Amino acid sequence: IETGITGGSDIALLTVGDSQFDYLSDEEVAELTRVLVAESAGRAVTVAATKRWWTGKALEFAHCCREIGVDMLMMLPSQHVLSAADLADWYKAVAQVMPVMLVGKPDYQVLDGLLDEPRVCAFKEDGTLEYALETMTKYAHQWAFLTGGFYRRHLTQWPYGCHAFFSWASSFAPRVADRYWQAVQKNDLASATQVIVEFEAPFAQLAKRNPEGWQATWRGAFELNGVAQRYLRPPRRSLTDAEMEELADGLRQIDLLA
């Protein structure tokens, strides 16, 4: 959190996937959220996230988030909601407690049912690129959009009004994120693309070559840059010392090692 904020990020955000909620108890999710708010200390917009909770649990957590000072709650839709109208009502119920961020790829019937709720105010797209661009066009003035994934994905959405993005580099190499963001704000697409070519593409290749994939590689980069430890909870396997040495060599070659 400190690395990201001091490195220039305006948002400190938790999410089910990258924050590894599947490996945390509900109590640990709440504690992590408290840490997020405390460490951010008003310097960034704070976004908490839900698991796939039923309405009562989602409301309980929303009240907790509001009490500790979270700015917005990203809501992962419950798998038990069957109709578009019921899902719209589910979002609206939580929106009465605090501002809500949508996530995923809700049907347009659901989104149309939320147009009269101003406290549903942001949307983290998480579907196909076609869905993302169509949605940003259709609801251009309804929500603030942010993209997940890589900078290359954000770059395709920038002309459609997507002015925020998940940033893989902010947590351990914020200078890379800042370089990309400065280029995009100037509409300097060549420089933005160069960041993708120079840093993002080779880092993604390191993750692809690693048998443990993105999460283990990303967290290995945290440790090698002095930010956090590498370890993941079982059944995920953490990188071995030998794998860390190999990763360090790869990061050194692309200037992502402190």
Side-chain angles (χ1 to χ4, degrees):
I1 295 169
E2 187 66 22
T3 299
I5 293 175
T6 57
S9 178
D10 296 323
I11 302 172
L13 179 150
L14 300 174
T15 183
V16 168
D18 285 335
S19 302
Q20 298 280 277
F21 278 13
D22 285 345
Y23 299 86
L24 302 179
S25 68
D26 291 353
E27 291 75 18
E28 286 173 321
V29 170
E31 178 60 22
L32 180 59
T33 304
R34 285 190 284 269
V35 170
L36 177 79
V37 175
E39 293 298 322
S40 297
R43 297 173 294 163
V45 173
T46 52
V47 181
T50 70
K51 294 185 178 181
R52 293 190 184 277
W53 287 322
W54 67 290
T55 302
K57 177 60 179 178
L59 285 168
E60 176 189 328
F61 186 67
H63 282 287
C64 174
C65 287
R66 185 179 68 182
E67 289 172 4
I68 65 176
V70 172
D71 294 309
M72 187 176 295
L73 181 59
M74 185 195 307
M75 295 185 63
L76 187 68
S78 170
Q79 294 174 317
H80 302 291
V81 180
L82 300 180
S83 73
D86 287 343
L87 186 53
D89 288 343
W90 182 77
Y91 285 118
K92 288 180 176 180
V94 175
Q96 301 311 302
V97 179
M98 65 179 302
V100 165
M101 177 185 292
L102 305 171
V103 61
K105 47 181 179 180
D107 291 341
Y108 287 160
Q109 282 182 295
V110 176
L111 299 183
D112 289 342
L114 296 173
L115 297 179
D116 61 347
E117 178 47 76
R119 286 169 67 85
V120 176
C121 50
F123 192 151
K124 187 261 177 180
E125 62 84 12
D126 205 16
T128 65
L129 183 58
E130 180 181 6
Y131 173 88
L133 299 183
E134 183 178 345
T135 304
M136 290 173 189
T137 301
K138 182 176 176 64
Y139 302 99
H141 303 293
Q142 185 67 31
W143 299 298
F145 285 93
L146 68 157
T147 184
F150 294 127
Y151 302 151
R152 62 176 179 252
R153 185 176 177 93
H154 174 257
L155 196 58
T156 66
Q157 299 176 10
W158 171 258
Y160 293 81
C162 185
H163 294 161
F165 53 93
F166 275 28
S167 177
W168 62 269
S170 291
S171 49
F172 73 93
R175 59 186 172 81
V176 174
D178 184 64
R179 182 173 151 188
Y180 171 77
W181 181 230
Q182 294 300 325
V184 169
Q185 287 183 298
K186 297 174 184 176
N187 285 317
D188 185 352
L189 300 187
S191 295
T193 301
Q194 184 57 37
V195 174
I196 295 168
V197 171
E198 186 176 337
F199 296 105
E200 181 171 275
F203 185 74
Q205 286 301 313
L206 286 177
K208 283 183 179 180
R209 292 199 300 268
N210 192 310
E212 296 305 309
W214 174 267
Q215 280 291 335
T217 304
W218 194 38
R219 291 168 192 277
F222 292 174
E223 182 170 313
L224 290 168
N225 282 277
V227 175
Q229 293 183 319
R230 79 187 88 160
Y231 302 107
L232 296 168
R233 284 182 172 176
R236 294 300 302 269
R237 187 179 70 78
S238 304
L239 297 186
T240 65
D241 289 347
E243 289 168 332
M244 288 289 284
E245 290 179 9
E246 184 177 350
L247 177 59
D249 289 339
L251 294 178
R252 191 176 295 109
Q253 291 175 27
I254 56 177
D255 195 23
L256 286 178
L257 190 64

